[in-house]
Amino acid sequence: MLADVGDITLATGGLFGAADVVAESFSEACKSRHCEADIWHVVPERDDQDYTRKARQHADRTFQVVPYGRTVFSGDSMEERESIVARVFEIAVLIEGLFSAMQSYKE
């Protein structure tokens, strides 16, 4: 389990799916061990595209705070957010189901 590893930080894009399941499970495991989970969700302020089926997005296209971990709003679209994330993390393990996700982080 990730919670047993020790000094680990998880970052997600705030979308529903594999990364969200892993991060939320990590959060719950840390709570049961009485330790703090270091989880960050990097989401754009908004995106003109409707992501309500893929993410916590309001009707006005702004994104919501993820209910666990820390949420950081970065960029004005998913594309801008991905570009920022690609430049921020020196090392990342991408937990995602789509090849296009990897392509966006190769910058």
Side-chain angles (χ1 to χ4, degrees):
M1 295 191 91
L2 288 175
D4 296 328
V5 172
D7 188 22
I8 189 168
T9 300
L10 296 183
T12 80
L15 300 175
F16 303 131
D20 188 43
V21 170
V22 169
E24 191 166 16
S25 297
F26 176 65
S27 177
E28 292 302 317
C30 286
K31 281 181 191 175
S32 71
R33 288 168 174 74
H34 305 290
C35 62
E36 186 175 339
D38 194 12
I39 302 170
W40 295 82
H41 308 283
V42 184
V43 299
E45 288 283 341
R46 65 179 327 280
D47 194 300
D48 291 335
Q49 186 173 337
D50 180 2
Y51 281 94
T52 55
R53 297 184 77 188
K54 297 179 182 180
R56 295 164 182 89
Q57 186 182 37
H58 297 287
D60 68 356
R61 302 294 195 248
T62 59
F63 288 86
Q64 303 173 26
V65 170
V66 178
Y68 62 93
R70 297 178 190 104
T71 302
V72 176
F73 295 98
S74 183
D76 289 324
S77 68
M78 284 291 191
E79 185 176 322
E80 279 186 22
R81 188 262 341 231
E82 290 170 357
S83 181
I84 292 165
V85 167
R87 290 173 172 81
V88 170
F89 294 107
E90 185 176 333
I91 298 173
V93 176
L94 186 62
I95 302 173
E96 195 60 56
L98 301 173
F99 179 75
S100 60
M102 182 191 68
Q103 288 297 105
S104 64
Y105 290 105
K106 282 180 74 173
E107 292 181 29

